[in-house]
Amino acid sequence: MNIENAQVQMRKGILEFCILHIISRGEVYASDMLDELTSARIMVVEGTLYPLLTRLKNAGLLDYKWVESTSGPPRKYYLLTELGRTSLDALNETWQELSDSVNHIIGRTEQHKKPANGVTADLPNNPTDSSTNA
C-alpha cells in the first residue's frame, strides 16, 4: 500500500464536501477558498480547484456572480444553489455516519492496544490465541 497515495485519495474524497461547506457561509472568492483549504491542510492548487468548481456548477450545486473590483478585473464569487444546500445536508449526514463508524473502529483498536489490566487482550477467534486452537 502506498501511504502517500492513500492520504491524497482521502483528502480528494472530502474536498467537494469541504468546498460546499465553505461556500455555504456566503458568497466566496476562489482564492479565499484556496487559503482556507490550504490552512486546513486539505491541499489544493488552482489547477485542482477551478475544474472542481466548474463541475459543481455544471451539476447545479453552485452558481457564481461577477463583482467589480476596485483593484483589478471583476471577481467571480461562488454561492450555493438550493440543490447545493440540499446536497450538503445529505453529505453532512453521510459524514456524521462515516465519522462515527471510523471513530468506533479506531476506539476499539485503541482499547485492544491499551488494555486496563496491562495484558494484551486477544480478540475472539484470534489465531494466535492458543486456548482457541487446542
Side-chain angles (χ1 to χ4, degrees):
M1 174 182 207
N2 180 332
I3 297 301
E4 285 183 25
N5 186 50
Q7 291 168 327
V8 167
Q9 292 304 314
M10 289 171 77
R11 284 185 176 94
K12 282 183 180 180
I14 61 169
L15 186 55
E16 288 183 20
F17 180 56
C18 291
I19 288 170
L20 290 174
H21 258 285
I22 292 168
I23 297 172
S24 75
R25 301 179 208 142
E27 299 169 1
V28 62
Y29 186 53
S31 69
D32 294 332
M33 281 185 254
L34 280 168
D35 290 345
E36 183 168 350
L37 291 164
T38 301
S39 69
R41 299 177 52 201
I42 295 294
M43 76 88 226
V44 175
V45 292
E46 287 183 35
T48 301
L49 181 62
Y50 287 105
L52 183 52
L53 291 170
T54 298
R55 190 161 39 102
L56 292 171
K57 176 168 183 335
N58 291 342
L61 301 178
L62 57 89
D63 205 350
Y64 61 82
K65 70 178 191 176
W66 290 99
V67 176
E68 291 297 324
S69 171
T70 58
S71 61
R75 293 180 165 198
K76 188 187 288 188
Y77 284 84
Y78 293 88
L79 55 145
L80 284 187
T81 62
E82 190 57 40
L83 177 59
R85 290 194 183 285
T86 302
S87 298
L88 182 56
D89 288 343
L91 290 173
N92 277 328
E93 287 180 31
T94 301
W95 174 256
Q96 192 59 56
E97 291 169 4
L98 287 170
S99 178
D100 290 347
S101 298
V102 169
N103 286 332
H104 174 76
I105 290 169
I106 292 170
R108 295 228 22 222
T109 301
E110 292 302 316
Q111 288 174 353
H112 180 73
K113 288 168 132 179
K114 301 175 185 176
N117 63 3
V119 177
T120 303
D122 287 321
L123 294 176
N125 300 321
N126 186 334
T128 61
D129 183 356
S130 60
S131 65
T132 59
N133 292 334

